[in-house]
């Protein structure tokens, strides 16, 4: 799908849920959507704002609290009647189900976008990103990427989604 056509398609919903492993292009797409009026809710951004420049070993320690903050900010954004893009891996079906249930209860329309890239591209992007970590660019080692890839549950046919290979 071409970049312009996906942006056009996504601007018609209240919330865009992005899923994919680190380096798959989620943040790039989220930034594009922010330019079209979406509030960019970034799990990495929240972790950076709340916990600073943490080590890869601390990721799991802080991840749960950051996830709670992300959910609270999404609820606030919806309550204000604003559009949002959720920039997080959403690597498990159960996590995506939680978000869908939350959005259904809120009466918000949403679209799930599965961002993907081949492993070599992911590694190259992450090596580049790791050289200059920051607010929306947490360090992801090769070992972490391998774990993420092994544990990632891509959306299945019964999960309506847009597949975006970036």
């Amino acid at each position: 799908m071409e970049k312009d056509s996906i942006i056009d398609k996504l601007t018609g919903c209240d919330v865009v849920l992005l899923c994919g492993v680190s380096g798959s292009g989620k943040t790039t797409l989220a930034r594009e959507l922010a330019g079209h009026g979406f509030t960019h809710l970034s799990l990495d951004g929240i972790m950076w704002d709340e916990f600073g420049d943490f080590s890869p070993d601390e990721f799991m320690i802080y991840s749960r609290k950051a996830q709670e903050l992300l959910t609270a900010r999404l609820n606030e954004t919806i309550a204000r009647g604003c559009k949002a893009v959720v920039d997080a891996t959403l690597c498990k079906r159960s996590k995506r189900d939680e978000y869908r249930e939350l959005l259904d209860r809120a009466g918000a329309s949403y679209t799930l976008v599965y961002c993907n890239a081949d492993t070599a591209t992911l590694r190259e992007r992450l090596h580049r990103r790791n050289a200059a970590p920051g607010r929306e660019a947490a360090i992801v080692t090769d070992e972490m990427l391998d774990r993420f890839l092994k544990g990632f549950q891509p959306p299945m046919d019964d999960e309506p989604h847009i597949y975006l290979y970036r």
Side-chain angles (χ1 to χ4, degrees):
M1 187 173 286
E2 290 185 32
K3 184 171 110 174
D4 290 338
S5 65
I6 190 157
I7 297 295
D8 291 341
K9 185 171 189 149
L10 296 175
T11 56
C13 64
D14 299 321
V15 177
V16 175
L17 299 171
L18 301 179
C19 82
V21 298
S22 299
S24 62
K26 298 180 307 295
T27 299
T28 300
L29 179 56
R31 288 177 182 149
E32 292 168 12
L33 288 168
H36 290 271
F38 283 78
T39 300
H40 181 185
L41 301 173
S42 164
L43 185 63
D44 285 346
I46 290 170
M47 289 181 68
W48 182 272
D49 293 346
E50 296 294 320
F51 310 112
D53 189 9
F54 54 90
S55 73
D57 294 336
E58 295 171 306
F59 177 83
M60 291 310 293
I61 296 168
Y62 297 137
S63 182
R64 183 178 312 257
K65 177 63 177 168
Q67 191 66 243
E68 292 169 4
L69 291 168
L70 177 66
T71 302
R73 291 177 188 175
L74 176 58
N75 279 321
E76 293 165 5
T77 302
I78 294 168
R80 288 193 323 268
C82 298
K83 294 181 178 240
V85 55
V86 176
D87 180 2
T89 62
L90 301 181
C91 61
K92 300 289 184 200
R93 168 76 185 247
S94 60
K95 182 54 69 179
R96 295 188 298 271
D97 287 345
E98 287 175 25
Y99 275 94
R100 283 190 285 265
E101 290 170 13
L102 179 152
L103 295 168
D104 285 341
R105 283 192 309 270
S109 64
Y110 56 90
T111 300
L112 174 66
V113 178
Y114 170 30
C115 298
N116 195 12
D118 62 76
T119 303
T121 299
L122 294 171
R123 285 193 198 289
E124 186 273 325
R125 288 176 182 168
L126 292 170
H127 289 173
R128 228 178 329 131
R129 189 174 92 178
N130 289 345
R135 185 176 186 279
E136 292 168 349
I139 290 177
V140 177
T141 65
D142 285 344
E143 295 77 23
M144 290 170 73
L145 177 60
D146 290 340
R147 282 195 313 271
F148 292 162
L149 288 168
K150 185 176 181 180
F152 186 77
Q153 297 172 345
M156 303 307 286
D157 291 341
D158 66 331
E159 287 184 89
H161 66 279
I162 295 171
Y163 178 78
L164 185 61
Y165 190 85
R166 296 191 88 159

